[in-house]
Amino acid sequence: PRVGMPPRNISGETPSPRIGGSRGSAGRSWAPDPGEEMTPPHGDLATNPAEEDALLLRAVRKAGRRLVPFLLLLYVVAFLDRVNLGYVKQSFLRDTGLGEAAFAMGAGIFFLGYAFLEIPSNLAMYRLGARAWMGRIMVTWGVIAALMMFARTAPVLYTLRFALGVMEGGFSRASSCSSRAGFPQATAER
């Protein structure tokens, strides 16, 4: 504890004295007298290492219950997005009149966009933050995936598949950064 200094909240600011309510036995705020050791009214969150470990374990489990299913869902959607063109190949070729070579080029060009812009996407993620960058990836990925319904010619198919790869480029790194951010280093290694 800091001696003779006003308490600070999480953001580092000194809180204002309480207004109304209980002010303690002397009718003053809980700020200590000069030279008196200060203890916040709520006490420490955990008073011993065993309580700290239990609190940390509960927090990690809660984060895991919320984050892991969501990331699993995103990975499943990413997998389906990469293979969905293969599932509709026959009907897509019949409806659009494209040849096998044009279809193969459209399917493969996705990975060019993904590979070329994965590193710049990761650099942007570190600059803007994983949370904001994952949001950008999900929104633009969804928009481009929805625009795939307009792929009736080879140039449109190539453009949309390349754009889809570009938009999805930093997904794997951003998701791993998001998952590591929710867990302390000691528990992430377990």
Side-chain angles (χ1 to χ4, degrees):
R2 301 177 314 162
V3 178
M5 298 183 72
R8 295 183 180 242
N9 60 20
I10 293 174
S11 65
E13 301 169 346
T14 303
S16 60
R18 295 182 192 174
I19 299 174
S22 171
R23 291 179 161 251
S25 59
R28 61 179 168 88
S29 69
W30 54 274
D33 292 330
E36 179 183 354
E37 186 171 324
M38 184 191 78
T39 304
H42 52 75
D44 294 329
L45 290 177
T47 58
N48 63 43
E51 288 179 16
E52 287 179 7
D53 289 342
L55 184 64
L56 177 65
L57 185 60
R58 282 197 327 257
V60 167
R61 284 184 181 161
K62 185 176 182 179
R65 281 192 310 267
R66 291 181 177 190
L67 189 61
V68 171
F70 180 67
L71 288 176
L72 178 65
L73 174 69
L74 292 181
Y75 274 111
V76 167
V77 170
F79 173 76
L80 290 176
D81 183 52
R82 290 181 189 143
V83 299
N84 70 354
L85 203 56
Y87 289 131
V88 298
K89 177 181 179 183
Q90 295 303 320
S91 60
F92 184 77
L93 291 177
R94 185 179 56 246
D95 292 345
T96 61
L98 294 176
E100 294 279 338
F103 180 82
M105 178 70 170
I109 202 165
F110 166 87
F111 295 101
L112 287 176
Y114 189 93
F116 284 145
L117 285 146
E118 186 170 12
I119 291 174
S121 179
N122 293 332
L123 294 173
M125 178 196 60
Y126 281 113
R127 179 170 233 190
L128 300 174
R131 190 175 187 180
W133 200 244
M134 276 291 283
R136 192 278 316 159
I137 288 172
M138 294 296 108
V139 169
T140 56
W141 181 12
V143 168
I144 299 295
L147 289 175
M148 284 295 295
M149 71 179 145
F150 298 113
R152 299 279 181 228
T153 63
V156 174
L157 175 65
Y158 300 159
T159 303
L160 288 176
R161 288 295 290 180
F162 184 78
L164 193 60
V166 166
M167 295 306 139
E168 195 181 329
F171 170 71
S172 61
R173 182 69 179 153
S175 62
S176 68
C177 284
S178 295
S179 65
R180 281 185 289 142
F183 302 100
Q185 181 74 23
T187 57
E189 293 171 355
R190 287 187 210 167

